[in-house]
Amino acid sequence: VNLSSRQALADLAHFVETMNYKKSWQSPAVGDTSVKWVTFGGSYPGMLAAWARLKYPNHIYAAVSNSAPIQPTINFAGYNDWVAFDMHYDRVGGTNSCLQVVTDGHAEIGQALKDEQYRKVADLFHICNASSLIDKKNANMFLGDGVITIPAQSNDPDCQNSPICNIDKLCDALVEERKHSSPMQTLAKIAQLQTGTDDDDSNNNTDDNCMELDWNETLKYLASPKKAQAGGLRSWLWQTCTEFGFYQTCETNSVCPYGRGYHELDMDLEICEKAFGVDAEQVKRSVQESTHYYGGWELNATRIISVNGDVDPWSVLALTNSGTAGTAAKVKSIRYGAAVHSQQCSLPTHWVKGASHHFWTHPVKGSDDQEVTDGRNIIYLQVMEWLAVDRKSMQELSSWTNFQRNLLRGNRND
């Protein structure tokens, strides 16, 4: 199948071979090259960056793998567990009270549904048809992934596009609203702010602003090759079904902050079946095959630096100095005492504290935290060391980097 990580890596290797030949960087007779290729990537491209070095070591000299979940996992319950830890992570503005509001609010909604208070829930959250909540799969879709958006993966400490655009601002709003509302009402108010619906409009549940809950229609949409193309949605779903899994469940016995027990693995497996005709056993087999092919955390390679942010839920499956510890143990180790940087063997790792999903790969801003700047510098220095750039050149380039940073922060002295 053409749409796969293996094909992408083969394409990359072919590109390297072609460029080496066209630019006379490599002698076909000898096979050596004067050019050292280094792959860079974040998220899925970060996975490919690492695996390119793993599978094509004669083509790729080194790799920078950012926020890359290299451990294929069918049931990724750790994602939402990590979101819960983020909600009380003080470095990004989280508090215990904030997390409590979110978990209590979802529990209250769950109880309301059990008590058949469908109209109450529908009115609060502007659901078009209250009776749609009677269907268990519709209720799962509503509650299992959260009734509000928590920007753990995308957290930007300096965001300006919304009053509740990051964890700090969101937590402030949640805790403030909770002072005069129930947990469920608090979540409803935040949901209204995030979706732009008007709480004072009594017609919200019948106009274009209301939320349609229909699991079967969702499946039809995802099964449509034309409708579900936006943003690469369908292509990524295909790869989760045929290679990686990564299904972010919210199970009963977890610390997921949403509706616990409302997002079980069978929901995601049904998507694979309906959208692509890939049954549950095929999905499980494909994830196992990918783990065996690439090695997961047991990455049998050298010269790959893995960089992760400790706010990013995807770091649960990344190569880190925390090994294969469970989510709770990993969070505790990272945030309260683990070494930030590890030079173990030829697979160094680095944690960027306070950073979300490969945030340090974003364009440089004057508001960037020092941890983010340090992360960029560590990547740069590691790559320069691997490329055997002489120390004098490294010092000159490092000085230029410092000059740029000071200039951005308005600290230029000349």
Side-chain angles (χ1 to χ4, degrees):
V1 178
N2 292 331
L3 182 54
S4 69
S5 60
R6 299 185 195 191
Q7 183 61 57
L9 295 175
D11 291 344
L12 174 60
H14 177 70
F15 173 79
V16 170
E17 290 172 358
T18 302
M19 291 302 296
N20 283 342
Y21 181 74
K22 283 187 174 182
K23 299 293 185 179
S24 299
W25 291 336
Q26 178 171 301
S27 169
V30 180
D32 64 343
T33 176
S34 60
V35 172
K36 295 176 180 177
W37 290 82
V38 181
T39 50
F40 290 78
S43 196
Y44 174 53
M47 297 158 63
L48 294 179
W51 291 339
R53 170 62 186 155
L54 169 70
K55 291 299 181 180
Y56 295 93
N58 293 330
H59 295 68
I60 304 301
Y61 186 76
V64 179
S65 179
N66 302 284
S67 299
I70 62 167
Q71 178 69 32
T73 301
I74 189 166
N75 188 344
F76 189 10
Y79 185 99
N80 285 324
D81 287 350
W82 198 283
V83 172
F85 292 117
D86 285 340
M87 293 303 287
H88 66 83
Y89 186 20
D90 56 357
R91 191 182 187 101
V92 292
T95 64
N96 290 331
S97 298
C98 177
L99 174 60
Q100 197 68 50
V101 174
V102 177
T103 54
D104 288 352
H106 283 90
E108 187 179 350
I109 298 168
Q111 188 59 52
L113 294 180
K114 290 177 182 177
D115 295 340
E116 301 183 355
Q117 297 176 10
Y118 306 120
R119 171 54 58 189
K120 178 180 180 180
V121 174
D123 287 345
L124 275 174
F125 290 93
H126 299 163
I127 296 170
C128 301
N129 184 358
S131 62
S132 65
L133 288 167
I134 298 173
D135 187 296
K136 182 68 163 64
K137 290 185 177 180
N138 291 341
N140 289 347
M141 183 170 62
F142 171 59
L143 202 54
D145 292 316
V147 300
I148 64 170
T149 299
I150 298 175
Q153 179 177 329
S154 60
N155 190 63
D156 179 356
D158 192 50
C159 67
Q160 305 295 331
N161 58 308
S162 162
I164 49 175
C165 58
N166 59 30
I167 292 174
D168 186 19
K169 295 177 180 180
L170 177 61
C171 279
D172 284 348
L174 283 164
V175 173
E176 182 62 30
E177 182 66 28
R178 178 66 181 91
K179 292 178 181 178
H180 45 79
S181 304
S182 72
M184 179 166 65
Q185 291 169 334
T186 297
L187 294 187
K189 181 64 176 179
I190 296 301
Q192 291 159 18
L193 291 173
Q194 290 181 331
T195 59
T197 52
D198 185 359
D199 192 36
D200 296 326
D201 188 349
S202 59
N203 295 319
N204 258 317
N205 291 14
T206 58
D207 64 19
D208 292 337
N209 289 327
C210 67
M211 181 195 312
E212 289 280 2
L213 284 180
D214 192 322
W215 177 245
N216 289 327
E217 285 300 314
T218 299
L219 291 176
K220 289 180 183 177
Y221 173 80
L222 295 175
S224 170
K226 292 184 178 180
K227 293 180 180 179
Q229 284 183 355
L233 172 59
R234 188 171 157 83
S235 59
W236 177 243
L237 278 176
W238 166 259
Q239 287 191 266
T240 67
C241 295
T242 59
E243 292 192 87
F244 307 129
F246 295 153
Y247 301 124
Q248 298 157 19
T249 57
C250 187
E251 299 180 322
T252 302
N253 298 318
S254 71
V255 295
C256 169
Y258 307 132
R260 295 174 188 169
Y262 284 84
H263 185 160
E264 300 290 349
L265 183 60
D266 59 355
M267 289 180 65
D268 303 284
L269 297 178
E270 186 177 5
I271 290 175
C272 293
E273 174 68 43
K274 299 296 184 183
F276 306 111
V278 179
D279 65 35
E281 288 307 312
Q282 285 178 286
V283 177
K284 294 174 184 176
R285 192 162 54 248
S286 295
V287 172
Q288 291 173 348
E289 289 173 355
S290 293
T291 303
H292 177 74
Y293 182 72
Y294 292 118
W297 286 313
E298 301 299 322
L299 199 61
N300 186 22
T302 59
R303 288 197 295 270
I304 301 173
I305 180 170
S306 301
V307 185
N308 289 278
D310 74 345
V311 181
D312 180 20
W314 288 101
S315 62
V316 176
L317 300 181
L319 183 65
T320 69
N321 60 351
S322 302
T324 60
T327 304
K330 185 173 282 192
V331 170
K332 184 177 180 181
S333 171
I334 296 159
R335 295 180 181 169
Y336 308 104
V340 172
H341 190 71
S342 170
Q343 278 289 145
Q344 295 178 12
C345 302
S346 294
L347 295 173
T349 64
H350 181 73
W351 283 105
V352 183
K353 293 199 172 185
S356 55
H357 199 49
H358 62 87
F359 190 83
W360 53 96
T361 68
H362 296 180
V364 175
K365 297 191 298 183
S367 59
D368 287 340
D369 188 85
Q370 186 61 47
E371 292 277 353
V372 171
T373 301
D374 290 346
R376 291 173 180 143
N377 287 337
I378 284 169
I379 292 170
Y380 158 73
L381 291 171
Q382 181 62 81
V383 172
M384 291 299 102
E385 179 181 319
W386 280 333
L387 295 178
V389 175
D390 65 87
R391 185 169 296 277
K392 181 179 179 182
S393 296
M394 289 175 64
Q395 289 173 345
E396 289 174 352
L397 286 168
S398 183
S399 296
W400 172 241
T401 301
N402 290 332
F403 171 78
Q404 287 179 307
R405 182 173 67 245
N406 290 332
L407 185 62
L408 280 168
R409 293 181 173 176
N411 296 329
R412 180 177 177 180
N413 295 313
D414 58 4

